[in-house]
Amino acid sequence: MLKTDLAGATAGLTLPRAIPLEVTRVVRETADAVSLVLLPADPDASALNYHPGQFLTLRIPRADGGAVGRCYSISSSPFVREALQVTVKRTRDGYGSNWLCDNARVGQRLDTLAPAGRFVPDDLDADLLLIAGGSGVTPMRSIMTSALAKGRGRITLIYVNRDDASVIFAAKLARLARAHPERLRVIHWLTSRRGKPTTTCLQTLTAPYRTYSAFICGPAGLMAAASEALAANGMPPEHIALETFTSLAGDPFAAVPTLPEAADGAHLELDHYGETRRLTWPGDTVLLDLLLGRGLEVAYSCREGSCGTCICVVERGKVRMLRNYVLSAADLARGYVLACQSLPDAADCKVVF
Ligand SMILES: Cc1cc2nc3c(=O)[nH]c(=O)nc-3n(C[C@H](O)[C@H](O)[C@H](O)COP(=O)(O)OP(=O)(O)OC[C@H]3O[C@@H](n4cnc5c(N)ncnc54)[C@H](O)[C@@H]3O)c2cc1C
């Protein structure tokens, strides 16, 4: 498409901030998982600064010329000298994971949205209990490498897999455990030998770690059993973080239509990173679309209420959220909402970013 055609096609639309990356290495981790080592194509890589436990949202092309967005946790650490990396495991009959495993090549360009997510330790000095199943180990590798490099706490990883051959990062985990015998303990649980871990087994296994901060990521059954086990051991809910691996239903790279000033709607006083703006907020427009449509920059990623990137605070008035898969009851009580899911529910609102 000619440049002028492209400009015409996107007039009246705000395009999301896609960040170009180059694949510099494809590492086969197991028969059905690969790591992609990624280099920012733009020399100014500050948009890719990340915290351990965060994820990228990659744009994966479709045969019809469109694309899907898929989230992949960053498996590298920002605190050691290693390149940005994600690790993808094939999902049976899934589109994006199989496309990446089959097509990712050195030199290939992939677009991502900025790193996002709240599956991040508040304190790298804390004692950490990490419970992972299968590809759920990817954020754990980033968290444990970061905590070992920067923090002083103890770390236990309980890692559930089908069999030896399906253990992602087996050699790397063994090396880390050898290098930090006083701080890191890795407990492998193979379901081919021991069956799936039950809540009771996990309660016994995790009992020594009830004062730790827990991070859980894996298949739904394991996450439920592990959460129940930790609760039964008396671990407070605010010390338990969960990351659920699901596919996005929509396309987070899709353009957002530019919005003209609305005639009707709630009065919105917006504190936009320290600058005050007043807008009319139509009752059927979610806050993120209003801001992007009016040309205001806001951090966001999934646009589906599950990543927490577009978090903001309601200081006056009230909003109604369509969906929320990420904010806790405590977050909501403090006035936090997700801009991508928030509709006005009062005539006068003040929101702070
Ligand atoms: C925060 C976050 C981090 C993540 N990190 C990782 C990671 O580090 N590594 C990793 O491997 N994954 C990760 N994921 C999961 C990843 O984003 C994808 O969900 C996963 O790769 C599957 O995507 P897919 O396109 O291959 O499958 P999809 O095409 O989305 O399909 C998923 C499943 O649904 C079924 N399905 C698809 N369409 C239909 C339909 N119409 N009707 C019925 N069933 C259908 C498929 O058969 C398949 O079993 C993460 C997800 C999130 C949200």
Side-chain angles (χ1 to χ4, degrees):
M1 195 185 271
L2 289 171
K3 243 185 179 169
T4 46
D5 293 342
L6 191 63
T10 56
L13 297 172
T14 303
L15 291 167
R17 291 255 159 162
I19 306 167
L21 297 168
E22 188 186 321
V23 178
T24 57
R25 212 146 65 87
V26 179
V27 182
R28 182 154 296 283
E29 302 285 0
T30 65
D32 59 2
V34 295
S35 289
L36 307 181
V37 181
L38 303 161
L39 184 74
D42 186 337
D44 173 17
S46 57
L48 284 164
N49 290 344
Y50 66 97
H51 299 287
Q54 288 196 304
F55 62 88
L56 297 180
T57 303
L58 298 181
R59 183 175 194 274
I60 301 167
R62 277 195 329 231
D64 64 3
V68 297
R70 290 286 182 266
C71 306
Y72 291 101
S73 300
I74 300 172
S75 49
S76 52
S77 163
F79 296 115
V80 299
R81 283 171 63 88
E82 63 178 350
L84 182 68
Q85 173 183 292
V86 294
T87 303
V88 182
K89 182 174 177 179
R90 288 184 195 273
T91 295
R92 188 185 305 173
D93 300 329
Y95 178 71
S97 60
N98 286 292
W99 190 93
L100 286 169
C101 288
D102 292 336
N103 295 289
R105 300 271 178 276
V106 171
Q108 183 177 38
R109 184 183 141 151
L110 284 174
D111 283 346
T112 182
L113 296 179
R118 289 160 52 87
F119 194 64
V120 174
D122 290 334
D123 177 7
L124 287 177
D125 286 328
D127 293 330
L128 301 173
L129 172 62
L130 313 176
I131 303 178
S135 58
V137 76
T138 53
M140 307 305 187
R141 178 172 183 261
S142 181
I143 291 171
M144 80 169 69
T145 310
S146 302
L148 289 170
K150 272 278 159 189
R152 284 169 302 180
R154 290 163 297 173
I155 304 161
T156 293
L157 168 69
I158 299 173
Y159 186 16
V160 180
N161 280 286
R162 193 177 51 245
D163 50 27
D164 280 318
S166 51
V167 179
I168 301 175
F169 306 138
K172 292 180 186 95
L173 293 173
R175 262 202 309 277
L176 273 180
R178 275 198 304 275
H180 301 275
E182 283 88 37
R183 293 188 56 205
L184 175 63
R185 185 161 178 229
V186 178
I187 302 171
H188 288 284
W189 181 295
L190 301 180
T191 57
S192 56
R193 287 195 205 143
R194 305 173 72 181
K196 288 189 181 170
T198 62
T199 302
T200 315
C201 292
L202 287 168
Q203 194 181 337
T204 310
L205 200 57
T206 58
Y209 311 111
R210 59 178 57 135
T211 57
Y212 285 33
S213 294
F215 289 78
I216 308 174
C217 182
L222 172 66
M223 291 181 66
S227 307
E228 280 168 27
L230 297 181
N233 281 337
M235 191 181 268
E238 63 274 18
H239 290 182
I240 305 173
L242 303 167
E243 184 81 302
T244 307
F245 281 5
T246 50
S247 290
L248 301 180
D251 177 6
F253 291 88
V256 180
T258 303
L259 290 177
E261 173 78 62
D264 294 321
H267 170 257
L268 171 65
E269 181 182 335
L270 178 72
D271 183 335
H272 186 241
Y273 308 110
E275 208 172 301
T276 301
R277 291 169 184 270
R278 291 176 209 288
L279 299 170
T280 301
W281 186 2
D284 59 356
T285 303
V286 292
L287 181 58
L288 181 67
D289 288 357
L290 172 71
L291 303 190
L292 296 177
R294 299 300 307 279
L296 296 171
E297 282 201 15
V298 193
Y300 70 92
S301 182
C302 73
R303 278 156 75 172
E304 293 183 10
S306 49
C307 76
T309 309
C310 61
I311 191 168
C312 52
V313 187
V314 178
E315 284 202 345
R316 189 173 67 239
K318 200 171 159 213
V319 308
R320 179 167 68 86
M321 273 203 285
L322 300 172
R323 283 182 295 189
N324 165 34
Y325 303 117
V326 66
L327 298 181
S328 65
D331 292 331
L332 298 173
R334 276 188 246 132
Y336 287 116
V337 295
L338 303 170
C340 72
Q341 298 300 318
S342 293
L343 295 171
D345 202 17
D348 179 34
C349 298
K350 179 174 179 188
V351 175
V352 179
F353 276 87

